[in-house]
């Protein structure tokens, strides 16, 4: 199994850029979240064996939180890694980890890839409103409330939500890969999603 994993990492490391670099027309933007993982790390063991030489890890192991022995922050804490997701109606896709959802980070990620005459469809995050205001783009804010996700027939984030659903099923098979390798898995998923029609993808993942 260790050999298979090493070959997988070697192959994934050789994959080229998977995210598309230009989005125009109606552009949907949202984020998914991936729980931070230190799979394979021995930092907890080393700290327990020699606290003076090895500092305490920045968090407990996940099973400690799940057992109720320690409380985790509610909502999206710093241990939930944001994955910026962009799609447009031409089928272009972007899925990459970002540092946070701040205005500066979102602006830096969107400016190089989203056309200035695009029409944005997003949730109500302030960063998207600031970005659209700065660029003069038309911006449709899609409600997160059930049954109110479409402002008008053409303006929604259903494509990006569908991509999130597919990503969730894909990454679940690997039981939380170590975060230091997450970019490789994101590239793998995007390349695979472009090669497989959604109907075929669903059949494979559900089998």
């Amino acid at each position: 199994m260790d050999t298979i994993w090493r070959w997988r990492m070697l192959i994934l490391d050789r994959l080229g850029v998977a995210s598309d670099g230009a989005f125009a027309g109606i552009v949907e933007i949202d984020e998914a979240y991936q729980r931070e993982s230190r799979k394979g790390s021995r930092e907890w063991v080393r700290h327990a064996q020699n606290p003076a030489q090895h500092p305490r890890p920045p968090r407990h192991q996940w099973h400690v939180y799940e057992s109720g022995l320690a409380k985790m922050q509610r909502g999206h804490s710093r241990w939930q890694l944001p994955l910026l997701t962009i799609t447009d109606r031409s089928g272009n896709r972007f899925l990459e980890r970002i540092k946070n959802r701040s205005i500066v980070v979102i602006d830096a990620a969107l400016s190089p890839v989203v056309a200035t005459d695009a029409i944005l469809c997003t949730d109500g995050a302030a960063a998207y409103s600031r970005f659209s205001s700065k660029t003069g783009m038309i911006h449709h804010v899609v409600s997160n409330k059930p049954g109110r996700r479409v402002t008008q027939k053409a303006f929604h984030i259903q494509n990006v939500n569908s991509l999130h659903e597919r990503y969730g099923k894909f990454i679940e098979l690997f039981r939380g890969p170590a975060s230091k390798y997450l970019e490789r898995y994101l590239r793998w998923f995007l390349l695979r999603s472009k090669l497989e029609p959604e109907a075929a993808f669903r059949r494979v993942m559900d089998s």
Side-chain angles (χ1 to χ4, degrees):
M1 292 297 293
D2 184 64
T3 301
I4 295 174
W5 180 86
R6 290 180 184 277
W7 273 105
R8 179 196 296 170
M9 291 299 102
L10 182 64
I11 294 171
L12 294 183
D13 191 44
R14 297 298 187 273
L15 292 178
V17 175
S19 290
D20 294 305
F23 295 82
I26 299 176
V27 178
E28 303 174 29
I29 309 174
D30 200 4
E31 313 90 37
Y33 289 86
Q34 179 72 42
R35 189 169 73 171
E36 189 261 6
S37 172
R38 295 167 185 256
K39 182 182 288 185
S41 172
R42 293 184 56 79
E43 56 193 310
W44 290 280
V45 174
R46 295 192 181 105
H47 173 71
Q49 293 174 342
N50 191 341
Q53 184 175 356
H54 299 284
R56 183 186 298 276
R59 64 165 173 80
H60 297 292
Q61 292 172 286
W62 285 117
H63 71 81
V64 176
Y65 295 112
E66 291 165 357
S67 68
L69 296 176
K71 290 186 177 181
M72 191 65 180
Q73 291 178 315
R74 297 181 62 184
H76 294 141
S77 72
R78 64 190 179 118
W79 304 118
Q80 297 288 339
L81 310 178
L83 310 177
L84 182 65
T85 313
I86 311 172
T87 65
D88 65 18
R89 303 303 162 81
S90 297
N92 296 312
R93 296 168 182 172
F94 179 105
L95 179 63
E96 294 186 10
R97 176 181 169 183
I98 56 175
K99 183 178 180 181
N100 53 51
R101 296 181 73 202
S102 69
I103 292 173
V104 173
V105 169
I106 294 293
D107 184 87
L110 298 183
S111 293
V113 299
V114 179
T116 56
D117 59 351
I119 299 174
L120 298 188
C121 296
T122 75
D123 63 14
Y128 301 131
S129 296
R130 288 286 295 272
F131 177 74
S132 63
S133 296
K134 183 192 77 170
T135 56
M137 296 179 184
I138 298 173
H139 182 203
H140 292 272
V141 176
V142 180
S143 173
N144 287 324
K145 294 182 179 180
R148 297 182 60 188
R149 290 186 177 275
V150 179
T151 57
Q152 295 180 31
K153 189 173 182 179
F155 305 124
H156 56 74
I157 55 173
Q158 293 174 358
N159 293 307
V160 78
N161 286 339
S162 176
L163 195 63
H164 288 169
E165 180 184 359
R166 293 173 65 177
Y167 171 74
K169 292 181 179 180
F170 168 82
I171 205 67
E172 184 179 10
L173 299 175
F174 305 104
R175 301 183 181 276
S179 296
K180 61 183 178 180
Y181 300 123
L182 181 58
E183 284 80 5
R184 303 180 190 186
Y185 284 88
L186 294 178
R187 292 198 300 269
W188 182 11
F189 166 73
L190 268 188
L191 290 172
R192 178 173 175 171
S193 70
K194 291 177 181 179
L195 293 173
E196 296 177 341
E198 183 162 355
F201 185 92
R202 289 181 180 275
R203 288 198 299 270
V204 171
M205 301 305 290
D206 292 340
S207 61

